[in-house]
Amino acid sequence: MGDEVIIGYSFWGFLGPGITDTPDGGRSHRRPLVDALIKQGHQLVFLQADRDRLEAGDDFDGRYTFACGLPEIDVLFLEWRWNIPGRNTTPCGTPGHTCDLHRQHELLDHYTIASRIPTVIWDKDRQLPTSSAWRHRPGVIVCEAALAPSTGARSLLFPVDDALLDGVDSHALAASPRPITLGYVGNQYDRDEEFDTYLAPAATRFPHQVAGKWPDTSRWPHVAFLGRIPFPQVHEFYGGALATVLLLPQRYALAGQVTQRIFEAVLAGCLPLAPAGIRRVERFVPSWLIVRDGATVINKLVHLRAIAGSREHVKLIAGCLRHLELFRLSAQVRTIEAVLADLAEAVRPGRGLG
């Protein structure tokens, strides 16, 4: 856009590794995106609590600015929060309460409604109803991390740092020892059916590990669940696993949205087997890695174990890396710049970006 834009950025999570006992997939990509926007010449002010400092003891030497009030901004950028009963729907001060939703209401009321500040809603978890009035409000653009976003929404994928993509050596990754044939990192949320179909059968046949929050595992006594692992150990975990399966809630799969797990795995050389039911699945992985049922997963794993370290293995990893171009950080930044430009065009002169 040429001029510096002051972006009020609202996220409930961490810029660094944070703490172990909390869900926050944004740790894999939030800080590179933030740093890239700053490099573009924009000023960012973070509008939720500084959880890195308060919970993890990280302050990044004051590199980032957090504001608990309502500072002057040009654009409000929200990583969308939603009702989580017993957590952010309870009164402030209640044990276990988090104030992310209350704060989001305050930001929307002050900036979007009262001040008519242009607003970007990044619905990363597909929790904003298609009927939501925010999707039709002037001065608001909704983005989704999907290849087939909802009508009227823009596609803004989870970004992978260009330097990471450009620095990976597929030969070195193929040569690394991988004692775990099947590994999975992720939480249980809305994944039981996919777990039953694609991962549980293979777990009876191969060395495997599942990391993440799985509070109800009684139906899979044969599966080795590790519980949550610290975020810095995710790369190490995938670095010792030959393959994983992209398990997605249906609301993700139907929209062509895969989580950050795909690039966390591939950058460590762990091959992602992708269920055929994921919309536009061929955009995410080489066709050989697409699977249709548990038997196919088992057959693929048998073959992958046989070729581990070979030229064919190298080619598969290289193919996965090429597919990650879809998520390249510089491309996602261009998307954000285009969204900001469209918002600037839409608002009246003298208001917000105008």
Side-chain angles (χ1 to χ4, degrees):
M1 294 178 62
D3 297 330
E4 176 189 88
V5 176
I6 303 175
I7 301 173
Y9 195 123
S10 170
F11 71 92
W12 186 253
F14 301 92
L15 293 168
I19 60 175
T20 300
D21 191 23
T22 186
D24 179 25
R27 281 176 281 200
S28 67
H29 56 266
R30 185 179 293 118
R31 191 176 179 191
L33 178 61
V34 163
D35 288 344
L37 290 172
I38 293 172
K39 189 175 181 180
Q40 287 289 106
H42 303 310
Q43 179 181 339
L44 270 71
V45 181
F46 299 123
L47 299 174
Q48 294 274 2
D50 182 358
R51 298 181 67 196
D52 289 278
R53 179 178 59 85
L54 296 172
E55 298 179 40
D58 297 326
D59 63 7
F60 301 105
D61 297 321
R63 179 175 178 178
Y64 304 107
T65 300
F66 287 80
C68 59
L70 297 166
E72 291 190 9
I73 61 174
D74 298 314
V75 176
L76 177 62
F77 190 106
L78 302 169
E79 292 187 14
W80 186 251
R81 302 302 300 165
W82 62 97
N83 290 4
I84 304 176
R87 188 187 304 174
N88 59 15
T89 59
T90 54
C92 296
T94 302
H97 174 78
T98 62
C99 221
D100 51 305
L101 190 63
H102 291 170
R103 177 62 165 167
Q104 181 171 272
H105 290 329
E106 180 183 33
L107 298 174
L108 288 166
D109 287 344
H110 176 78
Y111 291 117
T112 312
I113 297 176
S115 303
R116 298 186 184 180
I117 294 295
T119 299
V120 180
I121 294 175
W122 194 10
D123 185 19
K124 300 170 70 174
D125 294 273
R126 304 196 62 77
Q127 294 287 349
L128 184 68
T130 56
S131 60
S132 172
W134 293 115
R135 294 184 180 274
H136 308 289
R137 186 180 179 87
V140 175
I141 291 179
V142 175
C143 297
E144 297 173 2
L147 292 182
S150 305
T151 301
R154 309 284 186 92
S155 178
L156 176 61
L157 304 182
F158 303 134
V160 182
D161 196 334
D162 292 33
L164 289 178
L165 286 178
D166 297 337
V168 177
D169 183 344
S170 54
H171 289 84
L173 291 176
S176 297
R178 299 186 179 274
I180 301 300
T181 300
L182 179 61
Y184 182 78
V185 179
N187 298 324
Q188 187 166 7
Y189 314 131
D190 303 320
R191 289 173 170 85
D192 284 14
E193 183 178 347
E194 288 72 24
F195 193 90
D196 265 334
T197 300
Y198 296 103
L199 198 146
T204 66
R205 297 277 302 272
F206 303 97
H208 68 277
Q209 290 181 342
V210 174
K213 184 178 180 180
W214 289 75
D216 183 7
T217 61
S218 58
R219 61 199 284 185
W220 307 295
H222 64 289
V223 175
F225 291 98
L226 304 180
R228 277 180 168 152
I229 60 175
F231 178 71
Q233 290 184 14
V234 172
H235 184 79
E236 178 184 348
F237 178 95
Y238 281 127
L242 182 63
T244 188
V245 182
L246 301 179
L247 302 180
L248 302 176
Q250 279 297 297
R251 67 181 188 276
Y252 289 2
L254 294 176
Q257 175 171 326
V258 300
T259 72
Q260 73 285 350
R261 300 304 180 194
I262 187 171
F263 53 79
E264 290 176 350
V266 172
L267 291 173
C270 179
L271 294 169
L273 300 174
I278 299 173
R279 189 170 183 179
R280 300 182 185 175
V281 65
E282 71 283 351
R283 298 282 305 278
F284 297 115
V285 298
S287 59
W288 191 86
L289 293 174
I290 299 173
V291 294
R292 299 188 177 279
D293 51 35
T296 311
V297 171
I298 291 172
N299 291 336
K300 298 291 185 184
L301 292 177
V302 168
H303 183 75
L304 288 175
R305 184 48 74 191
I307 66 166
S310 70
R311 183 177 300 180
E312 184 180 354
H313 190 194
V314 173
K315 289 178 64 177
L316 279 172
I317 294 175
C320 289
L321 290 168
R322 286 193 296 272
H323 279 73
L324 288 189
E325 287 293 325
L326 192 66
F327 302 92
R328 184 174 281 271
L329 172 62
S330 53
Q332 309 315 314
V333 170
R334 286 194 296 271
T335 295
I336 293 176
E337 294 286 7
V339 167
L340 295 181
D342 288 346
L343 284 171
E345 184 70 21
V347 299
R348 291 179 293 166
R351 293 281 190 177
L353 287 175

